[in-house]
Amino acid sequence: MVKKVKKRRFRRHFITALGIITIISIALTLPWRWLAPPTTAYIIQERFRHNDPIQPRWVPLDEISPNLHIAVVAAEDQKFPNHHGFDFQSLSRSLRENRQNLRGASTISQQLAKNLYLWPGRSLLRKGLEAYFTVLIEIMWPKRRILEVYLNVVEFGPNVYGADAASRLFFNKPPSRINSREAALLAAVLPNPKRMSALRPSRYVLKRASKIERAVRELGGSGYMARL
């Protein structure tokens, strides 16, 4: 009898805890389907490091050049319009080729989850939370919204967050006027924006930008994004 009471109590506590976690998770995710996130975990961490990050100025997706839409997808996540948050083929290939570096398997949705909610690192806990928030984002937001938020919060240079800040600082123009080469340069630095520069690109960045432009053409240009 005592064991049954303990089991019922444990089950009740477990269900209650699960319900609280679910409510908190939804509260942390669902509002940004319509509202601009006020900040991100990465920006907050930069502030604690005594840096002065440029706070993103929100711009709607339609005010960001389609050249940047497709360049980022071509560079970071070519299956973005079709997957549900995870690219398992790329993950499998990355595991075979280099078990220590899984960035190549990280989708835009995963990167967004990391930027919004998490801390840098490669622990199993962090990976688990990244996967959890990726699923929530994919369930609650349409693809266009995922790309819109990503382009508004991702780091394009040391403490330079969002397409608007990057395009104005690096090219002295609004993000709506970014051309295909400038978009490729911005996308080229995403793997390591603190060391790579779209303003003063190294030979490596220039080479990577050329590969991105070629990938954009192979995908069919900005029309590839029409399926979003």
Side-chain angles (χ1 to χ4, degrees):
M1 184 68 179
V2 174
K3 287 185 177 181
K4 288 184 179 180
V5 170
K6 287 183 177 179
K7 283 183 178 180
R8 284 199 299 268
R9 187 178 300 164
F10 173 80
R11 190 182 303 116
R12 184 169 63 250
H13 290 331
F14 177 79
I15 293 172
T16 300
L18 190 62
I20 292 171
I21 291 171
T22 301
I23 291 170
I24 292 173
S25 300
I26 292 173
L28 288 171
T29 310
L30 186 59
W32 315 136
R33 173 172 178 153
W34 302 284
L35 304 175
T39 188
T40 72
Y42 267 46
I43 292 174
I44 292 171
Q45 289 168 75
E46 289 293 341
R47 287 183 178 145
F48 276 109
R49 294 191 185 103
H50 308 291
N51 293 320
D52 187 20
I54 298 176
Q55 182 71 28
R57 189 182 79 84
W58 187 269
V59 288
L61 189 63
D62 290 339
E63 294 181 20
I64 300 174
S65 170
N67 291 317
L68 189 56
H69 303 179
I70 184 60
V72 167
V73 168
E76 297 289 287
D77 184 5
Q78 294 186 9
K79 297 179 182 178
F80 175 70
N82 304 311
H83 65 60
H84 298 290
F86 305 94
D87 183 350
F88 293 107
Q89 287 183 336
S90 294
L91 176 61
S92 176
R93 183 171 61 251
S94 184
L95 283 169
R96 290 196 305 269
E97 294 174 356
N98 184 354
R99 293 179 180 271
Q100 299 303 314
N101 182 11
L102 299 184
R103 191 186 191 287
S106 183
T107 65
I108 285 174
S109 303
Q110 288 175 274
Q111 293 177 47
L112 178 58
K114 174 186 67 177
N115 285 330
L116 281 176
Y117 302 112
L118 303 175
W119 63 93
R122 299 188 180 185
S123 68
L124 289 177
L125 172 62
R126 184 193 159 285
K127 275 294 180 184
L129 289 171
E130 178 186 298
Y132 177 67
F133 279 109
T134 297
V135 170
L136 289 177
I137 287 171
E138 283 278 341
I139 290 173
M140 296 183 188
W141 303 1
K143 286 287 188 178
R144 281 182 60 84
R145 182 59 176 179
I146 293 172
L147 184 61
E148 181 177 51
V149 176
Y150 179 78
L151 289 174
N152 273 282
V153 303
V154 70
E155 188 177 21
F156 285 104
N159 300 324
V160 180
Y161 292 87
D164 184 77
S167 61
R168 293 181 187 277
L169 183 63
F170 300 149
F171 306 120
N172 196 31
K173 61 174 69 174
S176 60
R177 293 175 52 203
I178 291 293
N179 62 39
S180 58
R181 182 59 176 175
E182 292 162 343
L185 287 169
L186 288 174
V189 306
L190 288 175
N192 196 340
K194 291 193 182 300
R195 293 192 176 186
M196 301 180 192
S197 173
L199 180 61
R200 292 179 291 275
S202 64
R203 291 179 62 185
Y204 174 79
V205 170
L206 290 171
K207 184 176 180 180
R208 179 170 163 78
S210 295
K211 288 182 178 180
I212 291 170
E213 288 183 288
R214 184 163 60 251
V216 167
R217 291 192 295 270
E218 290 171 354
L219 289 173
S222 58
Y224 182 70
M225 309 301 289
R227 67 189 70 185
L228 293 184

